[in-house]
Amino acid sequence: MVVRVPGAKAVQPAQTPQQAAERRALVELCLKSSRAVAVGKSESGRGQGTAAAVTTVGLSQLYVIGKPIGEGAYGFVRIAQQRLTLQLVAVKTFDKQRLRDPGARRRLENEIRVLQRVRHKHVVRLFEVFESAKRVHLCMEHVPCGTLARLIRRQKRLPEPLARRLLRQLVGALSYLHHRCIAHRDVKLENVLIDEAGDAKLIDFGFSIVSRSRLRVPCGSLSYTAPEIVRGCDYDGPLADVWSLGVLLYVMLVGKFPFVGATKDELSRHILRGQFALPVHVTREPETLLRAMMIIDASRREPCERLARHAWLERASASEPEICTEHQKVGELEAELMAELAELGVGGESARESITQCRHDHVHTTYQLLRKKQQHPAPSMASVELESQLGGANSDEAQVC
């Protein structure tokens, strides 16, 4: 039991000798993990390492692993709880058997490389990477309220103010990425998560690419695919993202896709025509925005930077912040969070270096989780749903290692 003292911090109960020993072992694992990442980054800089520095400490040594919350061709996503802070993360696991294909391995390395270099409030955050003999694990920000696809299934379609709010956030995220020559190439409802505040987070960068050149390889889901890609032409990645975002906006406002077909060939023909109808409840301003985003001729399509200045997006409520296209800088370290790190046993100068250099190690992860807890202070294990997701944790640890 935690004793509450008025005007003071909570006093933790005294630990038993066994608990103290377990905590010391956990802290040592955390520090060992961070040292391994620091060495890996150094070797990578000299051309000796992999595309991303990874920790050699076992995932289940630092996290309580819960049940799967998602699945894809690569493997699965599980909820997990960090042992040090008890905060929740999402662990995206790739089975190496499925990574034997060079293209699949390249997509994983692309995803890690992109997520380690971007920091935007509406792009999901990668904390750290674990690798074992059989699997690669990406430890990522947990976004608890499901996908945009799930929200639309429940609501049928979104009211214009909510659709505009989410679109402003996604336009900001894509504008940020495009400014850094990153094309997402798989913008769709299933790749947008909703967080505790009801804000959008763009996820799944497996098809993303860093390039200033025109692209040739088709990516993504056909329903969202730009016509120039359907025709088999080379294409501009950011402008193809704009088309996909236009499809996403249409579904938010209307509740169905602008282009449909009983077969892939029929769907492709409708995309190439580029003709779509809007029901009467969609007002004039979002209609003009949609027609600026879904133009057959990609050279006439508005880039995200100009979309942000569209009249409908500028007419936001007073409570909404400006469209964010900025890189989130580390800034000054927060003294209160650094003190918490020290209390956990992982503070000091090495922790400062880990955080300011964004090493994506376990100390850096711990700081970010404490920061998120500060912003969203609801207890990690407050709900029955989360307890059930973590129930029986590590019972199938063989699938985690």
Side-chain angles (χ1 to χ4, degrees):
M1 178 180 176
V2 177
V3 181
R4 300 290 182 189
V5 180
K9 295 178 72 175
V11 179
Q12 299 294 336
Q15 292 182 326
T16 65
Q18 181 180 353
Q19 288 173 329
E22 288 173 352
R23 172 51 65 107
R24 286 195 299 272
L26 181 58
V27 168
E28 181 51 41
L29 283 170
C30 175
L31 296 174
K32 179 182 176 183
S33 167
S34 297
R35 287 193 295 268
V37 170
V39 170
K41 281 188 174 291
S42 174
E43 290 181 348
S44 179
R46 297 196 300 268
Q48 298 175 16
T50 59
V54 298
T55 178
T56 54
V57 173
L59 175 70
S60 58
Q61 293 176 285
L62 297 174
Y63 294 90
V64 178
I65 311 300
K67 298 177 181 178
I69 55 175
E71 191 168 356
Y74 55 84
F76 45 83
V77 179
R78 291 173 179 266
I79 194 169
Q81 187 179 49
Q82 196 204 33
R83 295 182 186 273
L84 268 179
T85 65
L86 304 184
Q87 293 299 295
L88 297 173
V89 299
V91 178
K92 187 174 182 179
T93 296
F94 295 80
D95 192 320
K96 287 187 174 179
Q97 290 279 10
R98 303 183 189 183
L99 296 176
R100 288 182 174 177
D101 173 56
R105 182 75 191 192
R106 188 164 53 251
R107 285 195 295 273
L108 169 59
E109 290 176 349
N110 275 346
E111 180 163 17
I112 295 171
R113 188 179 294 111
V114 167
L115 286 175
Q116 285 190 335
R117 69 186 289 180
V118 303
R119 284 196 302 281
H120 186 275
K121 64 190 296 185
H122 297 300
V123 174
V124 74
R125 173 162 284 191
L126 173 66
F127 290 135
E128 55 186 327
V129 182
F130 293 79
E131 184 168 2
S132 68
K134 295 181 179 179
R135 292 176 176 84
V136 178
H137 309 280
L138 308 190
C139 181
M140 311 180 80
E141 176 183 7
H142 176 243
V143 187
C145 298
T147 66
L148 183 54
R150 178 186 172 192
L151 177 63
I152 292 174
R153 280 197 300 271
R154 289 206 312 260
Q155 304 283 344
K156 305 304 180 186
R157 57 184 172 85
L158 303 186
E160 284 191 8
L162 177 55
R164 177 175 55 207
R165 178 170 174 267
L166 295 174
L167 185 71
R168 282 166 54 86
Q169 295 169 359
L170 293 172
V171 165
L174 286 172
S175 182
Y176 164 85
L177 293 169
H178 296 166
H179 183 68
R180 284 156 180 77
C181 304
I182 300 168
H184 186 278
R185 300 202 296 176
D186 199 16
V187 175
K188 59 183 180 180
L189 296 168
E190 292 80 4
N191 285 343
V192 178
L193 294 179
I194 308 299
D195 71 7
E196 303 95 328
D199 292 330
K201 297 273 188 178
L202 189 60
I203 66 166
D204 201 341
F205 283 72
F207 288 121
S208 64
I209 188 169
V210 182
S211 175
R212 296 178 184 272
S213 306
R214 294 182 68 81
L215 305 171
R216 292 186 176 276
V217 178
C219 296
S221 303
L222 181 58
S223 295
Y224 298 85
T225 300
E228 60 269 25
I229 301 176
V230 175
R231 281 195 300 268
C233 303
D234 60 356
Y235 62 95
D236 180 292
L239 291 178
D241 281 348
V242 169
W243 175 282
S244 301
L245 189 61
V247 173
L248 184 146
L249 173 60
Y250 186 99
V251 180
M252 284 200 290
L253 293 172
V254 179
K256 61 182 181 180
F257 283 93
F259 312 107
V260 294
T263 64
K264 285 187 176 181
D265 287 343
E266 184 182 357
L267 174 56
S268 297
R269 285 196 299 272
H270 290 166
I271 292 171
L272 291 173
R273 288 195 195 104
Q275 298 173 355
F276 57 90
L278 284 161
V280 293
H281 72 261
V282 177
T283 59
R284 179 63 181 162
E285 282 187 336
E287 179 183 354
T288 63
L289 178 58
L290 281 166
R291 298 198 185 281
M293 299 170 79
M294 288 191 286
I295 294 179
I296 291 289
D297 183 355
S299 66
R300 295 174 52 220
R301 206 174 295 152
E302 294 280 11
C304 278
E305 185 179 0
R306 287 210 291 271
L307 291 178
R309 298 194 292 271
H310 188 276
W312 189 58
L313 294 185
E314 288 192 327
R315 191 164 52 79
S317 68
S319 61
E320 288 185 51
E322 292 293 318
I323 292 177
C324 176
T325 61
E326 300 299 316
H327 186 75
Q328 286 186 306
K329 297 179 181 178
V330 176
E332 291 291 325
L333 299 183
E334 298 181 40
E336 183 180 343
L337 298 184
M338 294 305 294
E340 284 194 63
L341 279 183
E343 286 180 15
L344 291 171
V346 293
E349 188 58 35
S350 62
R352 288 181 176 275
E353 290 179 6
S354 169
I355 298 160
T356 56
Q357 295 174 15
C358 296
R359 284 185 182 162
H360 293 91
D361 59 19
H362 204 63
V363 171
H364 178 259
T365 298
T366 303
Y367 180 84
Q368 296 301 331
L369 290 175
L370 290 173
R371 193 175 189 181
K372 186 174 182 181
K373 179 183 177 182
Q374 187 183 64
Q375 296 165 349
H376 303 284
S380 299
M381 292 294 292
S383 74
V384 173
E385 181 183 0
L386 290 179
E387 288 184 6
S388 70
Q389 286 177 330
L390 284 167
N394 293 342
S395 60
D396 53 349
E397 196 165 312
Q399 294 184 41
V400 177
C401 301

